[in-house]
Amino acid sequence: MTGCHQKWNAERALATIRGLADVPGALLPVLHALHTDYGHVPDEAVPLIARSLRLSEAEVHGVISFYHDFRRTPPPAHTIRVCRAEACQSMGCEAVFQHLDGSTGPDLAVETVYCLGNCALAPAAMVDSDLVGRFSIAKADRALAELGARP
Amino acid sequence: MKVYVPRDAAALSVGAEAVARAIARLGPDAEIVRTGSRGMFWLEPLVEIETPAGRVGYGPVEPETVSSIFDGTHPNALGLVEDLPYLKNQERVTFVRCGVTDPLSIADYRAHGGFRGLETARNMAPAAIVEAVLQSGLRGRGGAGFPCGIKWRTVLNEPADQKYIVCNADEGDSGNYADRMLMEGDPFLLIEGMIIAGLAVGANQGYIYVRSEYPHAFRTLNDAVAIARDAGYLQGFDIDVRLGAGAYICGEETALLESLEGRRGQVRPKPPLPAISGLFGKPTVVNNVLTLAAVPTILDKGAEFYRDLGMGRSRGTLAIQLAGNVKHAGLVEKAFGITLREAIYDFGGGTASGRPLRAVQVGGPLGAYFPESLLDTPLDYEAFAARKGMLGHGGVVVFDDTVDLARQARFAMEFCAIESCGKCTPCRVGSTRGVETIDKIIGTHEPAKNLELLRDLCDLMVDGSLCAMGGLTPYPVLSALQHFPEDFAR
Amino acid sequence: MIHNANQIAAFFAAYPREEAVASVEDHLRKFWEPRMRRQLVEYVAGGGDGLHDLAIAATQRLAT
Amino acid sequence: MTDFGTPKRLSDTLVTVEIDGKPVTVPKGTSVLRAAAELGIAIPKLCATDSLEAFGSCRLCLVQIEGRRGTPASCTTPVESGMKIQTQSPKLAKLRRGTMELYISDHPLDCLTCAANGDCELQDMAGAVGLREVRYGYAGENHLASKKDESNPYFTFDPAKCIVCSRCVRACEETQGTFALTILGRGFDSKVSAGNTNFLDSECVSCGACVQACPTATLMEKTVIAQGQPEHSVVTTCAYCGVGCTFEAQMQGNEVVRMLPYKDGKANHGHSCVKGRFAWGYTSHKERVLDPMVRARITDPWQKVTWDEAIRHAATEFRRIQAKYGRDSIGGITSSRCTNEETYLVQKMIRAAFGNNNVDTCARVCHSPTGYGLKTAFGTSAGTQDFDSVEQADVILVIGANPTDAHPVFASRMKRRLRSGAKLIVIDPRRIDLVDSPHVHAEYHLPLRPGTNVAVINAIAHVVVTEGLVNGPYVAERCETAAFEHWCRFIAEERNSPEATAAQTGVPAADLRAAARLYANGGNSAIYYGLGVTEHSQGSTMVMGMANLAMATGNLGRAGVGVNPLRGQNNVQGACDMGSFPHEFSGYRHVSEDPTRSLFEAAWGVSLQNEPGLRIPNMLDAAVDGSFKGIYIQGEDIAQSDPNTHHVTAGLAAMECVVVQDLFLNETASYAHVFLPGSSFLEKDGTFTNAERRIGRVRKAMPPRNGMADWEITMALSTALGYTMHYAHPSEIMDEIARLTPTFAGVSYEKLDRLGSIQWPCNANAPEGTPVMHIGGFARGKGRFMITEFIPTEERTTPRFPLLLTTGRILSQYNVGAQTRRTPNSLWHDEDVLEIHPHDAEFRGIHDGDLVALASRAGETSLHARVSERMQPGVVYTTFHHPESGANVVTTEFSDWATSCPEYKVTAVEVRKTAQRSDWQQVYSETRASTTHVAGD
């Protein structure tokens, strides 16, 4: 997922956008597609999206900013998303999160997520694209070592 | 030799993939079938081996111990899986194939009774299908418990050139994972339910809106839809699987519709009901995954079969999802009516930590915190409502005695502040003020005055909010205040 | 002036000749200031070089 | 004015409910909030306003309904029969106070120093709900440190004061249709934004709808911030385009504080554009001339004189010229920017005091073919519909018009209708905004070659006739049979087919056929057109072509259809109605008609000429020839606006007395000998007639800054010429117009005040006016099909001039720019640029922003290039808002065959890169200063 994003290419992006423009309610699918390609929605994409989907640029900005998934800047190489919702709270996710929080750096983002649907194996986390159950400080350290993102 | 290894996200999260690889390596003649999960998550990865007597289970299995499952010496041998009391004591209707079949095998699905409901429905008039659903007593499983048949009837009777079936698969409530389990473990059931819904109301297009936190479910659904389309099941009614983008509020049906239309997921006022003016302004059925997944059974086995399960006005089965600090966390499908205590102790085996249970939150982050003294409440919409709680989607999150309910109350407000769409004032501003006010109470800054203010704020949010997000956020707060006042005065 | 008279004639050319001539004449009477009409009449009297035949016919009627 | 909270609903079904014990009956679909307001019960509200659909966000308007759970919002709850609603209770009071407490916990406490103090809905509501304390305190998380955006020249955006009610966002979407605003973020972080940028750099078109919708001081006019709240207001009509919006001039004494679009204005329904709403500062611009001036030669400096001296001088000169060169050696031009009364007086003075019919008006150069064509076909020189009609149109055909720039307020309504399902066809050489913009697009855009309108309309009619799409019963009942049959034979000829004409028009035959079918079969089809139709050598033919098409398909004589000119200037329709043309009296009656002339002769006490006078181009020709020597020009700038500048200025220079009456020393004034300072629309009483024949009152908000209203000046000049006029007030002029003009017979100021506005014809048959014309039958009796042979213009591209130039307008500037250039509107458009297609640019080595020479056989100028895919290859485009651009130096003398309306839209040109300004521009910049020098300044 991360690390395999393309360099911005307006022509290719336009082709991606136009390929989806006729889908009803195309904006979210378009933004997801750009995310898949570029890891974020570059500023340059906004006018292209707006024109292709017959939206105003303001609307596109409004939608991007509403959804926490959509980024305006390239992502760090790795992301660990720790679930901090109730089921995971009951199993001590907070300690794991606090443990990881200090590890944030240019190569690693530690983010909060509310529920990964793995509440029976709480605490849960998503290490890049891998879902991890029964997450713990030990598992967190192992993940950091594997990602090579230990500060 | 057939070996069954789950591909459910939860199983994968504890190493099912490595186990499957180890099996392939060590047992080259093993025919590995990837299934959904049985829902006994404490046993994951749960490996089952087909024997003449039935499927015997081993779990949890680690890659290092795989070799011992072939000779039956694995320390975690479970015997016949179907005979495990946890499964045996359930009434599996919706989840009957989950963990049993290959979720992406249409042949497997048919072999296990799939598409029988659809075949029945194809020979019925739309109104008759709606009537069957109405008679079954099926209520929306998303939380509000609105009678499904009435919604369908409204859509059926609304004249329009275009109607839609929208599956709300934005299951964002902590402690709830039944939708995910079903989408990953038996996606054709949902597809079948949607096709039937389309027949019933005259819709030709369906959308499944899946939250982005469920990448496995998204992939499985996409694959399943493609397979169903190739197999000719989606002629005249097609399904598009759409991905959310990190907004809890999009589980609210009108926000979901806005999101599907490509807009900010802001809540729409009702009226108009989505059944009259929904997606792109057209009459739309918006149903939860489990609601739609219950439909094929109703058509196949008859409305009576379904209606005969349950209690009071809560008919059929409930997917109880034991989660959090519970020993045997997992999915328990039972007819409505067992008590919370039975679920947590008889099935769940008490807390995982072994410490005393102090609080249970049922129904997700907007559900009330119940103390031990309310554990005998039956799992029934009305019974919960009578105790100022909410059965919701059936998620049960267990907390032991280390929990601080003032913190949990604060979190409820904080969660609302983070996830509010921001449209209405009680929710947009109120949630932030709620966090601040609870902080003042916890910090013993004029606690009496601020407690009164907090209660006023909760009343305002309950009565004044535009949707259930703001309207229900006070439930965990007020229940914490009511049942655990001592936590606010430490 | 010549250009404009020809434009008018060209528009009415789609009609039968009698109607066309009458229409051109009517147009010139209704919309052209007498000075301009006089100039046109003089131009036609001088040969009407380059003038549409309908314009010539209409102008000749103006003169009477 | 009462704000009913939610928009009016139209329904034949009525519903009766009981609110606070009082019964009220309202149309089905009405909100509880509005029903209560109609009873006079004001339920507190903030996010609701009756110009916008209900939103349900502020939660102040909660009510209790018997038998229902909870406290629904009254704005989003429609009435249902038998509902019993309670709007006040202790519970509701507590909820409302609680909500207000939340609002104020995140709001500055600066009411006393706030620009909205006294005009703030938040302040009002805090009072209404009895907020007494904010128990949360003010130390919580808030937005008070948010930065103010002052980038827009006319208003500020102060997010610290924002309550996130989204009224601005919704106004931009629903009312204006631009979608330039959004909410960024969500939850507590939600904030109004112009899309990640400031207002000036955003998509915002500065229409003011957001400012008007804002219930707080978040969006606020800078003038109000600077001057404070207005203390009285005057309802009047905008002096910009032909939409004719009604405004409230909000005043402090004789100073305008702001212009606010008037909710009851029937042309604009409370909406506005950047010009009418904000660009009124020119009225007090420092360049405005307030003293009369004279000079002997145009190279002399101007000498300030008294009104008496100036008027006496002008009169003496005119009489001297007439004595020397004859009665017909002088004439005058009325203004489409002045009132009906003023226009009427000018033509009266010319006919009665000058003693000739040498009167013309600037409609000559814009919509004269409309008058000719529609009169020929239908019998009336005016558009057939009211603006409201567009709401019932199913297919909208826009031809040669760019409403979003030139008629923005009507464009907003059109876009609203398009968003709600009507289909759009655009026939225009350029890809105008309507073709493809947020939430609006054209089903078909037929990008024709400039000059081929008639071929295209004929081809459309060909499809209608040959594919059996004619509305036979309609035609049989309503139109002249012989003319129709003759037309049918003509139009069905293969040479008129889309396939046969495609090569010439550049329009793909398949698209044209599809568009024709849509127009003919799509339900109510309405044509809206502009100067792209009229300003051609076949302008009148094209108008008749559209009339033919509408008659053939039965799209005339009811709401939702019609042939509708979008008039350029505020009073083009009125100027034409008032008898400004050399051949006709007011009400379009030819000067040769004896009974009419006798009527005027009797009323005016003079004998009148029975022959048509000179048109503007004829006057200039005659001046060059030496037979026309003096002219009175009121409020028009022919030296900038009329084609072929060289010829215009030569004509002006050849005259012995040019009298210009204007606000500014315009380009024509460079050639004037007498300058009479005019007054602005804010300074006089009168009426304007907009594009839908709507007569609206212009009301004096302040005394004339120059000392005399324009009608008083004309009166004085006439009197000085020996033809005494004595009107005490413009209403007396209108009374005279009504007496002498059958279509105006029922019009009076009293009735205008009572009804707000009136659409002519207004007489005994239609005492309250006529919104839609030709219902049941045409004004002339039977509709008349005319043969519209396509006769191409002689203006052709050549190897030397291989491109076609077409000209037009842009949103922020207006016409010759005399007004808008003297406002901050120039921020958006400070120079005219040449739009050119990338291929044409590349071929010539032209890059965006390069200075390019633009040359035709008439002349040459230079402009900066803008490379744009809106253009089609081979066509270039510019505007004529700035005199130094010299767009009309390039345009030619070719004109419409019937009306002499110039062919602005087709000029063969060449474009090349250049390093220097053209000769004309260099001479212009040298002479302009010397011809505008005022002695003593």
Side-chain angles (χ1 to χ4, degrees), chain D residues 233-316:
Chain D
S233 66
V234 179
V235 175
T236 190
T237 303
C238 179
Y240 279 115
C241 78
V243 177
C245 298
T246 311
F247 274 88
E248 220 180 308
Q250 298 195 326
M251 312 288 297
Q252 279 177 343
N254 287 333
E255 293 289 318
V256 179
V257 177
R258 69 176 157 198
M259 296 291 283
L260 210 54
Y262 193 57
K263 223 162 82 173
D264 278 357
K266 295 198 179 78
N268 56 322
H269 297 286
H271 190 36
S272 58
C273 80
V274 62
K275 295 188 282 280
R277 175 75 151 96
F278 294 118
W280 40 269
Y282 69 89
T283 57
S284 55
H285 192 273
K286 62 177 183 339
E287 284 170 17
R288 186 159 160 200
V289 181
L290 299 174
D291 298 300
M293 302 186 296
V294 298
R295 60 184 175 185
R297 285 184 306 269
I298 62 170
T299 46
D300 292 344
W302 284 108
Q303 303 291 334
K304 291 182 185 171
V305 295
T306 65
W307 274 107
D308 245 18
E309 288 166 326
I311 283 168
R312 208 166 344 105
H313 180 79
T316 310

Side-chain angles (χ1 to χ4, degrees), chain D residues 498-680:
Chain D
E499 291 73 16
T501 50
Q504 196 161 21
T505 63
V507 176
D511 283 2
L512 190 141
R513 282 194 180 269
R517 289 171 196 142
L518 177 59
Y519 176 83
N521 291 331
N524 282 343
S525 293
I527 296 173
Y528 292 90
Y529 70 94
L531 305 181
V533 159
T534 54
E535 289 175 349
H536 286 92
S537 62
Q538 327 80 355
S540 293
T541 313
M542 179 61 183
V543 172
M544 291 185 271
M546 296 184 304
N548 291 341
L549 180 64
M551 285 190 289
T553 53
N555 280 307
L556 284 160
R558 62 179 187 277
V561 298
V563 180
N564 306 287
L566 295 171
R567 301 278 184 167
Q569 307 210 42
N570 53 326
N571 203 33
V572 180
Q573 181 69 53
C576 298
D577 300 341
M578 290 300 103
S580 293
F581 286 131
H583 64 284
E584 58 194 11
F585 293 117
S586 63
Y588 305 98
R589 291 162 297 164
H590 202 267
V591 291
S592 64
E593 291 171 24
D594 292 338
T596 305
R597 203 174 58 258
S598 310
L599 185 72
F600 281 94
E601 285 176 336
W604 294 352
V606 288
S607 73
L608 298 169
Q609 293 293 308
N610 66 349
E611 288 276 10
L614 292 166
R615 296 169 173 178
I616 296 172
N618 307 140
M619 293 183 203
L620 294 166
D621 290 346
V624 172
D625 291 350
S627 71
F628 189 85
K629 290 289 183 183
I631 192 165
Y632 170 52
I633 304 174
Q634 184 182 66
E636 195 187 347
D637 193 2
I638 57 171
Q640 187 181 341
S641 66
D642 285 25
N644 196 349
T645 309
H646 289 300
H647 182 65
V648 174
T649 53
L652 287 167
M655 295 187 209
E656 292 181 8
C657 181
V658 174
V659 178
V660 167
Q661 185 171 324
D662 206 287
L663 301 180
F664 303 101
L665 282 175
N666 60 18
E667 300 307 311
T668 309
S670 290
Y671 298 87
H673 307 90
V674 179
F675 186 87
L676 304 174
S679 55
S680 78

Side-chain angles (χ1 to χ4, degrees), chain A residues 23-29 32 62-63 65-70 81 84-91 113-122 126 129 131-134 139, chain B residues 9-10 13-14 41-42 172 174-175 177 180 207 211-212 214 242-246 259-265 280 323-325 329 361 365 369 397-399 408 411 415 418:
Chain A
V23 163
L27 186 49
L28 262 70
H32 276 303
V63 169
S65 70
F66 184 87
Y67 296 98
H68 289 177
D69 279 4
F70 298 132
R81 301 160 82 197
R84 296 170 74 196
E86 289 90 336
C88 291
Q89 289 167 10
S90 78
M91 292 299 281
V113 63
Y114 293 106
C115 200
L116 293 163
N118 202 16
C119 323
L121 292 170
M126 192 81 96
S129 57
L131 181 65
V132 183
R134 298 188 190 111
K139 277 195 183 181
Chain B
S13 81
V14 286
F41 291 107
W42 77 96
S174 174
Y177 48 80
R180 184 191 58 68
Y207 289 96
R211 61 199 298 258
S212 62
Y214 285 3
R242 291 291 179 88
L243 198 56
S259 187
L260 264 184
E261 290 181 13
R263 287 201 286 268
R264 297 165 50 80
F280 302 112
N325 199 330
Q361 186 181 32
Y369 285 97
V397 177
V398 178
F399 293 82
Q408 296 308 120
F411 176 74
F415 183 71
I418 292 164

Side-chain angles (χ1 to χ4, degrees), chain D residues 701-871:
Chain D
M702 61 179 78
R705 298 186 61 234
N706 53 325
M708 278 173 112
D710 291 317
W711 61 275
E712 293 174 300
I713 298 166
T714 306
M715 207 163 74
L717 181 58
S718 182
T719 303
L721 283 163
Y723 181 78
T724 311
M725 291 187 187
H726 26 66
Y727 302 97
H729 188 267
S731 66
E732 296 174 6
I733 307 174
M734 181 53 84
D735 292 342
E736 179 177 319
I737 295 165
R739 268 199 312 280
L740 297 173
T741 316
T743 45
F744 276 67
V747 180
S748 70
Y749 277 31
E750 178 276 322
K751 195 183 277 183
L752 283 167
D753 287 342
R754 185 155 44 83
L755 300 179
S757 59
I758 299 169
Q759 287 174 273
W760 67 259
C762 173
N763 47 33
N765 295 332
E768 301 210 332
T770 312
V772 175
M773 295 199 69
H774 314 303
I775 295 175
F778 289 102
R780 71 186 295 276
K782 298 264 182 180
R784 181 173 176 204
F785 282 85
M786 294 293 292
I787 305 299
T788 52
E789 185 74 64
F790 173 52
I791 300 161
T793 175
E794 285 167 39
E795 182 72 12
R796 309 246 164 98
T797 55
T798 61
R800 193 167 157 219
F801 300 115
L803 300 171
L804 288 180
L805 168 74
T806 179
T807 65
R809 288 184 185 179
I810 131 154
L811 172 68
S812 53
Q813 298 286 4
Y814 178 71
N815 207 275
V816 294
Q819 295 141 292
T820 46
R821 274 187 283 115
R822 293 180 173 95
T823 69
N825 270 29
S826 288
L827 262 180
W828 287 282
H829 184 84
D830 58 357
E831 64 171 308
D832 298 315
V833 296
L834 187 80
E835 286 188 43
I836 182 167
H837 188 272
H839 292 168
D840 295 326
E842 196 184 343
F843 180 69
R844 292 167 176 77
I846 293 167
H847 297 101
D848 204 61
D850 283 352
L851 185 69
V852 295
L854 172 68
S856 74
R857 61 185 170 80
E860 176 172 329
T861 188
S862 70
L863 298 153
H864 288 104
R866 178 174 297 151
V867 179
S868 163
E869 290 192 355
R870 285 160 59 100
M871 304 309 302

Side-chain angles (χ1 to χ4, degrees), chain B residues 83-392:
Chain B
D83 286 348
L84 291 172
Y86 198 90
L87 267 187
K88 208 171 175 154
N89 293 336
Q90 296 193 28
E91 289 148 296
R92 286 219 163 173
V93 174
T94 299
F95 285 86
V96 70
R97 271 176 299 267
C98 233
V100 176
T101 57
D102 173 351
L104 292 178
S105 163
I106 234 168
D108 222 4
Y109 182 64
R110 293 194 69 99
H112 288 78
F115 290 125
R116 286 211 300 251
L118 176 60
E119 279 150 28
T120 310
R122 283 202 200 282
N123 295 316
M124 293 166 76
I129 305 174
V130 170
E131 187 59 23
V133 171
L134 199 60
Q135 287 305 319
S136 74
L138 176 65
R139 290 166 74 176
R141 291 294 188 267
F146 188 81
C148 182
I150 292 181
K151 192 184 275 184
W152 286 23
R153 194 168 60 195
T154 309
V155 177
L156 171 64
N157 291 338
E158 193 66 21
D161 55 351
Q162 169 81 62
K163 297 177 185 180
Y164 296 103
I165 308 297
V166 170
C167 171
N168 181 347
D170 194 17
E171 178 186 55
D173 291 338
S174 174
N176 293 263
Y177 48 80
D179 292 358
R180 184 191 58 68
M181 224 183 101
L182 186 109
M183 291 186 283
E184 293 176 11
D186 196 10
F188 293 123
L189 179 64
L190 173 59
I191 292 168
E192 185 183 352
M194 289 181 73
I195 299 170
I196 296 170
L199 287 175
V201 304
N204 61 12
Q205 176 67 50
Y207 289 96
I208 306 175
Y209 185 92
V210 193
R211 61 199 298 258
S212 62
E213 292 83 351
Y214 285 3
H216 301 85
F218 180 66
R219 278 198 294 274
T220 307
L221 282 172
N222 268 313
D223 292 347
V225 165
I227 291 165
R229 194 180 290 128
D230 285 346
Y233 282 100
L234 294 177
Q235 285 166 6
F237 178 86
D238 207 353
I239 294 176
D240 196 3
V241 186
R242 291 291 179 88
L243 198 56
Y248 173 79
I249 192 61
C250 290
E252 199 281 336
E253 61 175 355
T254 62
L256 185 152
L257 294 176
E258 289 282 307
S259 187
L260 264 184
E261 290 181 13
R263 287 201 286 268
R264 297 165 50 80
Q266 282 196 324
V267 175
R268 296 178 187 171
K270 288 189 271 195
L273 294 170
I276 291 173
S277 175
L279 187 64
F280 302 112
K282 303 295 182 185
T284 304
V285 168
V286 186
N287 276 148
N288 177 260
V289 174
L290 296 190
T291 316
L292 290 163
V295 167
T297 308
I298 293 167
L299 271 293
D300 177 26
K301 298 192 172 169
E304 299 74 24
F305 166 82
Y306 198 80
R307 194 185 54 210
D308 289 348
L309 296 164
M311 70 171 277
R313 288 170 48 215
S314 305
R315 312 312 309 179
T317 57
L318 173 68
I320 303 159
Q321 299 136 77
L322 299 174
N325 199 330
V326 63
K327 194 181 286 172
H328 296 156
L331 178 111
V332 178
E333 184 176 1
K334 284 291 282 180
F336 285 95
I338 71 162
T339 67
L340 197 47
R341 189 183 304 280
E342 286 164 346
I344 293 170
Y345 287 97
D346 296 357
F347 284 94
T351 62
S353 61
R355 297 180 66 95
L357 178 150
R358 183 146 185 267
V360 184
Q361 186 181 32
V362 180
L366 309 178
Y369 285 97
F370 276 12
E372 217 280 341
S373 62
L374 286 179
L375 288 192
D376 292 318
T377 308
L379 292 163
D380 160 74
Y381 292 114
E382 279 67 38
F384 264 69
R387 290 160 183 81
K388 297 196 164 137
M390 187 185 66
L391 184 53

Side-chain angles (χ1 to χ4, degrees), chain D residues 198-213:
Chain D
N198 66 37
F199 269 77
L200 187 65
D201 296 335
S202 75
E203 297 151 293
C204 167
V205 294
S206 204
C207 71
C210 57
V211 182
Q212 196 184 359

